[in-house]
């Protein structure tokens, strides 16, 4: 699925005291991983195979990471990368101390990507209540996407508005069996709005729905979002 217009809806901005302040939230952006990018490249017609392209992109990543590790700036048509150091130095004779200072990567759009910004078409749509949106569930053991999950294995959820308060038992990642039995994820290693890394519960084999429940920033009510696919748990 590809979009040809960026839909957005307006929601009240709870960060200001003005009741007339609203903020735009995009509603139809999809996430493209490297495999999806490669498939789109192949559709344009090329003598290169997917394996060839993957090898070139892998080499590019390796060189970029290698040069970044040397402290060099990277300038490409798509992005620019430079580094800075965060932290306070105690006088002119002080030196970098990992316990007090850190390296920061600063990314900005490259020349070609900046040109694209002016060509993005937008369309205002009716705003629904903001809540978690799950695009993908990736099973680490098999690489399966939106298909199966290894019981008690590592997995990743990708989407939007996924971050939740892990200390609140009402919030979290829930697996719901066909008999409506719910099992909450208890171990999570990454809790970001766009991505959750977690250890799946020890689930019995069978089909499940996966759901994220969270209280959105600036709201008091619990919101939920469910992956639009049945997940087959294996190894249980």
């Amino acid at each position: 699925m590809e979009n040809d217009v960026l839909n957005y809806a307006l929601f009240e901005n709870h960060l200001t005291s003005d009741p007339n302040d609203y903020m735009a939230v995009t509603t139809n952006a999809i996430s493209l991983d490297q495999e999806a990018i490669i498939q789109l490249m192949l559709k344009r017609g090329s003598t290169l195979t997917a394996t060839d392209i993957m090898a070139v992109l892998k080499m590019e990543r390796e060189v970029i990471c290698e040069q970044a590790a040397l402290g060099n700036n990277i300038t490409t048509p798509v992005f620019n990368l430079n580094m800075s150091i965060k932290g306070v130095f105690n006088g002119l004779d002080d030196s970098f101390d990992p316990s007090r200072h850190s390296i920061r990567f600063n990314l900005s759009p490259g020349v070609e990507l900046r040109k694209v910004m002016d060509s993005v078409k937008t369309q205002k749509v009716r705003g629904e209540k903001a809540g978690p949106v799950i695009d993908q569930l990736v099973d680490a053991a098999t690489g399966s996407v939106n298909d199966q999950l290894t019981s008690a294995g590592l997995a990743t959820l990708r989407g939007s508005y996924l971050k939740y308060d892990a200390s609140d038992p009402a919030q979290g990642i829930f697996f719901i069996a066909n008999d409506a039995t719910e099992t909450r994820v208890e171990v999570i290693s990454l809790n970001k709005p766009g991505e959750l890394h977690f250890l799946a519960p020890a689930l019995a084999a069978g089909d499940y729905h996966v759901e994220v429940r969270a209280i959105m920033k600036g709201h008091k009510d619990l919101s939920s979002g469910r992956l639009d696919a049945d997940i087959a748990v294996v190894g249980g």
Side-chain angles (χ1 to χ4, degrees):
M1 178 180 178
E2 297 178 34
N3 298 324
D4 57 5
V5 64
L6 182 64
N7 290 341
Y8 70 93
L10 297 183
F11 294 92
E12 185 178 350
N13 186 353
H14 294 277
L15 299 179
T16 71
S17 58
D18 189 339
N20 293 318
D21 279 357
Y22 281 75
M23 59 186 293
V25 176
T26 59
T27 62
N28 67 329
I30 60 175
S31 299
L32 300 177
D33 58 17
Q34 181 171 279
E35 179 61 30
I37 296 295
I38 291 175
Q39 292 304 315
L40 290 173
M41 293 169 68
L42 291 172
K43 284 183 179 180
R44 297 191 171 197
S46 172
T47 57
L48 297 175
T49 65
T51 302
D52 295 332
I53 296 173
M54 193 173 299
V56 172
L57 293 178
K58 181 175 183 292
M59 186 181 297
E60 181 188 42
R61 292 197 308 272
E62 290 174 347
V63 171
I64 288 174
C65 291
E66 176 185 274
Q67 292 303 309
L70 294 174
N72 295 326
N73 296 333
I74 309 295
T75 301
T76 76
V78 177
F79 72 89
N80 302 315
L81 169 68
N82 61 70
M83 279 159 270
S84 59
I85 296 177
K86 182 180 180 181
V88 176
F89 287 80
N90 301 318
L92 192 59
D93 294 330
D94 196 7
S95 299
F96 185 90
D97 181 347
S99 67
R100 295 182 290 117
H101 309 117
S102 61
I103 305 296
R104 299 186 65 178
F105 283 179
N106 307 306
L107 282 170
S108 62
V111 174
E112 291 188 15
L113 198 57
R114 286 199 300 271
K115 292 179 182 177
V116 172
M117 294 172 63
D118 294 331
S119 63
V120 176
K121 298 177 181 178
T122 61
Q123 177 175 279
K124 183 178 178 181
V125 297
R126 182 187 177 93
E128 302 292 338
K129 184 178 180 181
V133 176
I134 307 175
D135 294 326
Q136 292 183 339
L137 184 149
V138 182
D139 180 48
T142 64
S144 171
V145 178
N146 294 350
D147 183 30
Q148 69 180 42
L149 175 72
T150 302
S151 177
L154 299 175
T156 298
L157 284 179
R158 297 192 179 105
S160 306
Y161 309 108
L162 298 178
K163 186 175 181 179
Y164 63 89
D165 182 358
S167 66
D168 180 358
Q171 302 184 55
I173 306 169
F174 294 84
F175 285 90
I176 305 167
N178 287 334
D179 63 359
T181 301
E182 298 184 352
T183 305
R184 183 177 184 266
V185 168
E186 298 299 336
V187 180
I188 182 166
S189 59
L190 182 69
N191 189 356
K192 299 284 188 180
E195 193 160 306
L196 304 175
H197 294 183
F198 64 95
L199 180 67
L203 299 168
D207 290 339
Y208 291 78
H209 292 296
V210 59
E211 188 170 285
V212 172
R213 299 170 187 169
I215 297 177
M216 300 292 97
K217 187 174 182 179
H219 294 76
K220 296 181 179 180
D221 298 328
L222 191 69
S223 299
S224 64
R226 179 176 289 194
L227 180 67
D228 189 22
D230 289 337
I231 299 299
V233 171
V234 297

